[in-house]
Amino acid sequence: MIYLDNAATTLYKPEPVRKAVYEAMATMGNSGRGAWGPALSASRMVYSVREKAAEFFGAWGGESVAFTGNATEALNIAINGLVKKGDHVVTTQAEHNSVLRPLYRKEKEGAELTILPVDQKGNFYLEEMEKAVRENTTAVICTHASNVTGNLFPAEEIGKLCRRHGLLFVLDASQSAGEALIDMKKMHIDVLCFTGHKGLMGPQGTGGICVDPQVKIPAFKVGGSGILSFDREHPGCMPEALEAGTLNIHGLAGLGAAFDYLQDTGLEKIMEHENRLAEIFYEEVREIPGVEVYGDFSLPDRTAVVSLNVAGFTSKEAGDLLAQRYEIATRAGVHCAPLIHRALGTKERGILRFSFSWFNTEEEIRKAALTVKEIAGEWE
């Protein structure tokens, strides 16, 4: 199988990641729940992964990183904890439902919401974001990269805008963690939500939230934390404030190995390879009669995504052909991002997304492009 659905999850993980998960299952106990060897090994590992995440994202040290099951949980923690009745929040049509649905819930509870439109290439504009700021605006909450088009949005400029207006900046890095350089301090990001199983090449069921120490987010869930057990309230100190219950120790061991792999291999080297594959694929398919490609390929920085439709087919029909006849895995449909599909006019047919990884080869990409040409030719 040629696997080209890496924006959903990286199926093929680095060997050290697989090995770390396996070894953790045999050697590690429950962090913070004992002073014996395997429990202490788990605690040391968790601490080290916090430090690695903080370094990778330019955060404020390991204590600023709390682990979650995925970016969806992290975004729910941030949005539910920071958005209050009467607050006004700015977001965009490029968002995943992991941003939109928590915001819709807050809107029903009395918050106000402005959703910036995107154009036919999937871009929104900083000028419009600035115009949207009101007296009661408290935050900008948006994605770093579209999971539909691959467009990478100007996080640093958004961060500067937020600083000028005294707003919180919450960034959804689901599609950009491991796919783009991120420095929370440089980009003025107050809260970063990430998942481990996409560009970071870690296990599913891992993710986290990195928080500027000046930002206080109340506990989203409460329970056992391993500390202050006689207190009626959940601990308010980070990272325990945003963690309750047993962590995914085995998954976090794999995530730690993934951070090591990215650092040792070189994130820029990985990005260069993936973006080169995306560029090859784009150049091969963009001139095929009947093929429409979505996104802005004039941007200097993008994630390794090429999304398209083939005339005569819905995205799901084309995706099924690729999977069943050619054993090529892609993602068809609306990608849990309904508003951008409305903007692009693809609400009914969806879009077929190809997303590339460090483990894909040029030969695979050229074969995939050839199959698109064959499918388009069938319709003709």
Side-chain angles (χ1 to χ4, degrees):
M1 181 179 67
I2 298 175
Y3 186 79
L4 300 177
D5 193 18
N6 294 282
T9 194
T10 46
L11 177 63
Y12 302 116
K13 310 295 184 183
E15 193 275 335
V17 173
R18 302 194 303 270
K19 183 178 178 182
V21 174
Y22 179 81
E23 290 184 348
M25 294 183 76
T27 61
M28 291 187 184
N30 196 339
S31 175
R33 272 67 169 182
W36 33 272
L40 292 174
S41 293
S43 294
R44 294 187 188 102
M45 180 276 295
V46 170
Y47 178 82
S48 73
V49 183
R50 294 193 204 280
E51 292 287 311
K52 291 171 185 177
E55 181 181 0
F56 192 82
F57 294 122
W60 292 263
E63 68 280 359
S64 67
V65 180
F67 292 120
T68 62
N70 43 54
T72 298
E73 184 180 353
L75 286 160
N76 272 267
I77 289 170
I79 292 169
N80 279 279
L82 295 173
V83 180
K84 308 290 191 300
K85 181 178 180 180
D87 288 350
H88 173 243
V89 174
V90 179
T91 190
T92 81
Q93 284 187 320
E95 306 309 313
H96 189 278
N97 273 334
S98 294
V99 171
L100 294 173
R101 284 176 171 164
L103 285 174
Y104 292 152
R105 176 186 286 181
K106 300 306 289 189
E107 190 177 34
K108 288 177 72 173
E109 295 172 0
E112 299 173 16
L113 185 60
T114 293
I115 301 176
L116 299 178
V118 298
D119 63 19
Q120 282 301 298
K121 289 189 175 181
N123 291 319
F124 62 86
Y125 297 95
L126 284 171
E127 311 89 80
E128 298 302 314
M129 184 173 282
E130 190 119 37
K131 290 177 185 176
V133 176
R134 307 175 187 168
E135 206 170 288
N136 62 331
T137 305
T138 59
V140 171
I141 302 175
C142 67
T143 188
H144 192 188
S146 169
N147 71 322
V148 175
T149 66
N151 291 2
L152 192 67
F153 302 119
E156 186 170 354
E157 296 307 311
I158 296 170
K160 290 177 180 176
L161 183 155
C162 289
R163 281 293 181 271
R164 286 197 302 273
H165 294 279
L167 309 178
L168 289 171
F169 181 24
V170 179
L171 188 69
D172 174 9
S174 299
Q175 293 296 319
S176 60
E179 300 290 334
L181 299 174
I182 299 175
D183 187 323
M184 291 184 69
K185 295 173 188 172
K186 180 182 178 184
M187 296 176 170
H188 308 292
I189 302 165
D190 297 295
V191 180
L192 180 83
C193 300
F194 70 93
T195 195
H197 68 101
K198 298 178 187 282
L200 293 179
M201 296 190 281
Q204 294 178 10
T206 61
I209 181 168
C210 306
V211 185
D212 184 327
Q214 297 183 59
V215 177
K216 304 302 178 186
I217 302 177
F220 180 64
K221 57 182 179 178
V222 298
S225 60
I227 62 171
L228 304 175
S229 295
F230 282 101
D231 290 359
R232 292 170 65 94
E233 301 290 331
H234 193 79
C237 57
M238 280 286 289
E240 290 83 5
L242 303 183
E243 295 174 349
T246 296
L247 292 171
N248 179 4
I249 298 299
H250 309 141
L252 291 177
L255 182 61
F259 279 125
D260 289 339
Y261 183 85
L262 291 168
Q263 294 283 28
D264 293 343
T265 306
L267 181 57
E268 292 185 346
K269 181 178 178 181
I270 292 170
M271 290 164 51
E272 181 180 358
H273 172 75
E274 293 177 350
N275 290 334
R276 178 173 169 273
L277 296 182
E279 184 178 357
I280 290 170
F281 185 79
Y282 171 69
E283 291 298 331
E284 292 280 344
V285 301
R286 71 187 183 95
E287 300 291 349
I288 298 174
V291 170
E292 181 177 3
V293 180
Y294 303 90
D296 190 348
F297 289 84
S298 70
L299 294 172
D301 298 305
R302 295 177 43 83
T303 58
V305 167
V306 179
S307 294
L308 55 82
N309 269 316
V310 181
F313 298 91
T314 67
S315 64
K316 291 184 178 180
E317 288 169 342
D320 285 346
L321 268 177
L322 284 169
Q324 294 167 17
R325 186 186 298 176
Y326 302 99
E327 293 189 318
I328 297 174
T330 60
R331 173 73 186 277
V334 297
H335 315 89
C336 303
L339 300 187
I340 195 169
H341 281 275
R342 289 177 181 169
L344 297 175
T346 54
K347 178 183 175 182
E348 300 302 324
R349 68 191 303 207
I351 284 175
L352 184 64
R353 183 185 69 193
F354 296 76
S355 50
F356 311 102
S357 94
W358 173 244
F359 294 108
N360 287 126
T361 66
E362 183 175 331
E363 181 183 2
E364 290 177 325
I365 271 53
R366 293 194 185 279
K367 181 177 179 181
L370 182 61
T371 62
V372 172
K373 187 174 183 178
E374 289 182 12
I375 292 171
E378 287 186 15
W379 178 75
E380 289 182 328

